[in-house]
Amino acid sequence: MVQPFVQYLREKGGLTPAELDAVASVSTFKKIRKNQYLLEEGQISDFIGFVVKGSFRLFRVGEDGQEHIMRFAIENWWIADFASFMNGQPSKCYIEALENSELVIITKDHWNGLLETMPNFKHMIDMLTARNFEAHQNRIYSNISESAEIRYENFVSKFPTIYNRIPLYMIASFLGLTRETLSRIRKQAVKKSSTDL
Amino acid sequence: MVQPFVQYLREKGGLTPAELDAVASVSTFKKIRKNQYLLEEGQISDFIGFVVKGSFRLFRVGEDGQEHIMRFAIENWWIADFASFMNGQPSKCYIEALENSELVIITKDHWNGLLETMPNFKHMIDMLTARNFEAHQNRIYSNISESAEIRYENFVSKFPTIYNRIPLYMIASFLGLTRETLSRIRKQAVKKSSTDL
DNA sequence: AAAGCAGCGTGATAAATGTCAATAAATAAA
DNA sequence: TTTATTTATTGACATTTATCACGCTGCTTT
């Protein structure tokens, strides 16, 4: 099985060698090229991916045709449209590779099997789910209470590895801003920090 | 046990009489008066409440002292700071009764016990969790992509029973707007709809 | 009835953000 | 290197939203 994935499962889930084998037996390796879609609107997300290499964006397209980025994923992140995955409904989202990327794929049936039969795995996912829930809460709070500038600063400090790897206009989309506004916010921030002397 | 709660468990979870008894044996009834707190910042939400009667708001207080409403709950809704509940961390939220209210309370230990021993209960909660996740996604999408006016309209059509029961300035807070702005948006909306003739 | 309070509406003005258009800078392709 | 292509910046202007101040209404409480 793919090395970074094994390491992740050992560190985060404490899986035993036997358990790692069991996960391996239901895992698929997948390469996907830049700008290709892992999932498209209308499809059902009946799998979950683990990013081994590369990066992804998950976005929805508004009625006006504009793309709105819900989520990024880089190495060691899980990626799927979890809403579609959990409800079995057609997805409202696209998942696009931002670079040539590599994934481990686990289908929904296998995933649920692991949760039922492997307590270590279930415990790991429960932890992630709880953290994810909290992250959603924090993002909603941020959206309804914080200024664009502070939202941007928080993003940078929270996701430094994403911030310096992904085009600015995508971060703007994630934050619910236009690229122009984010560009200006950045300029102001530079001015401010140089005043901090 | 409290009638509306029993009915809810039967309808949504298909619980048997024996199962209802089991839930009853770990449930507590609680009355709370208007403007009282069910939970305060810093406390750990080690319980989940089911609203039998009345209404609640869950909010955070920003650094400037402003209150930002994350969530409402009325009859037949569950209420807790789920982030605190799941992670066992001190809550960043207050939960306040907006009217004289009544709840069924289940502590965390009992809750987890029900999930482990009662598949019908677990299934019901899994469904709710999935829907809740989707609702969060939709709210984030709404926040980053939609205008204040559309956000308000969607709120009204999505939660008609909440909208006509709760002060407007709280809805504004929930939507991330000032009360003044929401007041003006409403006036515009009236003007528009009267032009629809 | 009078006083107090909570909620809502509105005007004037300021600040934040979006839109459009043009260009520069950076990166990839030829 | 030269040429395309993508990404980022900037200016001028329009729109949206916030802020501050004030008054109105309806409901309690006294």
Side-chain angles (χ1 to χ4, degrees):
Chain A
M1 192 159 50
V2 184
Q3 181 49 32
F5 188 43
V6 171
Q7 189 172 342
Y8 178 94
L9 293 174
R10 266 205 293 250
E11 282 181 13
K12 304 274 179 176
L15 299 212
T16 65
E19 288 175 326
L20 290 171
D21 282 348
V23 174
S25 72
V26 297
S27 297
T28 306
F29 184 74
K30 179 176 179 119
K31 290 193 181 192
I32 183 168
R33 304 198 58 224
K34 182 175 176 174
N35 298 330
Q36 297 303 109
Y37 292 125
L38 181 64
L39 183 81
E40 295 186 57
E41 185 175 1
Q43 299 176 342
I44 294 175
S45 183
D46 59 352
F47 65 88
I48 287 184
F50 177 88
V51 182
V52 174
K53 181 158 159 283
S55 56
F56 294 84
R57 65 197 258 252
L58 187 152
F59 65 95
R60 293 195 195 179
V61 178
E63 301 193 359
D64 53 353
Q66 267 209 285
E67 300 175 356
H68 300 279
I69 297 180
M70 302 290 295
R71 184 177 151 83
F72 297 109
I74 59 174
E75 287 84 4
N76 288 3
W77 288 47
W78 298 95
I79 182 76
D81 176 1
F82 296 102
S84 168
F85 181 86
M86 291 191 292
N87 292 317
Q89 302 285 346
S91 177
K92 296 174 180 169
C93 306
Y94 295 82
I95 299 177
E96 183 188 9
L98 297 175
E99 314 169 52
N100 293 335
S101 302
E102 298 172 9
L103 296 151
V104 173
I105 300 287
I106 301 179
T107 64
K108 184 169 178 172
D109 289 345
H110 286 134
W111 180 271
N112 288 334
L114 291 174
L115 288 179
E116 280 170 25
T117 60
M118 198 181 290
N120 274 343
F121 189 83
K122 171 155 173 43
H123 184 250
M124 176 181 77
I125 298 304
D126 282 349
M127 296 278 288
L128 289 176
T129 303
R131 292 208 183 288
N132 195 234
F133 182 92
E134 194 182 354
H136 279 173
Q137 291 294 112
N138 288 337
R139 185 164 175 206
I140 288 170
Y141 177 74
S142 177
N143 282 336
I144 68 174
S145 74
E146 293 174 345
S147 69
E149 183 177 342
I150 292 186
R151 258 154 47 221
Y152 171 69
E153 284 169 7
N154 288 348
F155 181 90
V156 171
S157 64
K158 213 165 190 172
F159 306 110
T161 54
I162 290 181
Y163 147 75
N164 59 22
R165 186 165 164 182
I166 275 170
L168 203 68
Y169 75 90
M170 290 192 187
I171 295 173
S173 171
F174 181 89
L175 295 173
L177 302 171
T178 59
R179 42 203 158 84
E180 294 94 333
T181 296
L182 185 50
S183 184
R184 291 183 177 111
I185 283 173
R186 268 173 121 207
K187 193 167 62 167
Q188 283 185 341
V190 170
K191 208 190 297 173
K192 275 192 188 169
S193 68
S194 66
T195 315
D196 282 351
L197 300 176
Chain B
M1 193 161 45
V2 185
Q3 182 51 30
F5 187 45
V6 171
Q7 189 172 341
Y8 178 95
L9 294 173
R10 267 206 292 251
E11 282 181 12
K12 304 275 178 176
L15 299 213
T16 65
E19 289 174 327
L20 290 171
D21 282 346
V23 174
S25 73
V26 297
S27 298
T28 305
F29 184 74
K30 180 176 179 117
K31 291 193 182 193
I32 182 168
R33 304 197 60 221
K34 181 175 175 173
N35 297 331
Q36 297 304 110
Y37 292 126
L38 181 64
L39 183 81
E40 296 186 56
E41 184 175 1
Q43 298 176 342
I44 294 175
S45 183
D46 59 352
F47 65 89
I48 288 184
F50 177 88
V51 181
V52 174
K53 182 160 158 278
S55 55
F56 294 83
R57 64 196 259 253
L58 186 152
F59 65 95
R60 293 195 195 178
V61 178
E63 301 194 359
D64 54 353
Q66 268 209 284
E67 300 175 355
H68 300 280
I69 298 180
M70 301 291 294
R71 184 177 151 85
F72 297 109
I74 59 174
E75 287 84 5
N76 287 2
W77 289 47
W78 298 94
I79 181 77
D81 175 2
F82 296 102
S84 168
F85 182 86
M86 292 191 293
N87 293 317
Q89 303 285 347
S91 176
K92 295 174 180 169
C93 306
Y94 295 82
I95 300 177
E96 183 189 9
L98 298 174
E99 313 168 53
N100 294 334
S101 303
E102 298 171 8
L103 296 152
V104 173
I105 301 286
I106 302 179
T107 63
K108 183 169 180 174
D109 289 346
H110 286 133
W111 182 270
N112 288 335
L114 291 174
L115 288 179
E116 281 170 25
T117 60
M118 198 182 290
N120 274 342
F121 190 83
K122 170 153 173 47
H123 184 250
M124 178 181 77
I125 298 304
D126 282 350
M127 296 276 288
L128 289 176
T129 302
R131 292 207 182 290
N132 196 236
F133 182 92
E134 195 182 354
H136 279 173
Q137 291 293 111
N138 288 338
R139 185 164 175 206
I140 289 171
Y141 177 73
S142 177
N143 282 335
I144 67 174
S145 74
E146 293 174 346
S147 70
E149 184 178 343
I150 292 188
R151 256 152 49 218
Y152 171 69
E153 285 169 7
N154 287 349
F155 181 89
V156 172
S157 64
K158 213 165 190 171
F159 307 111
T161 55
I162 289 181
Y163 146 74
N164 59 24
R165 187 167 163 181
I166 275 170
L168 204 68
Y169 74 89
M170 290 192 187
I171 295 174
S173 170
F174 181 88
L175 295 174
L177 302 170
T178 60
R179 42 205 159 81
E180 294 96 330
T181 296
L182 185 52
S183 184
R184 291 180 176 113
I185 283 173
R186 267 173 121 209
K187 192 167 63 166
Q188 283 186 340
V190 170
K191 207 190 297 173
K192 276 193 187 170
S193 69
S194 65
T195 316
D196 284 350
L197 299 175

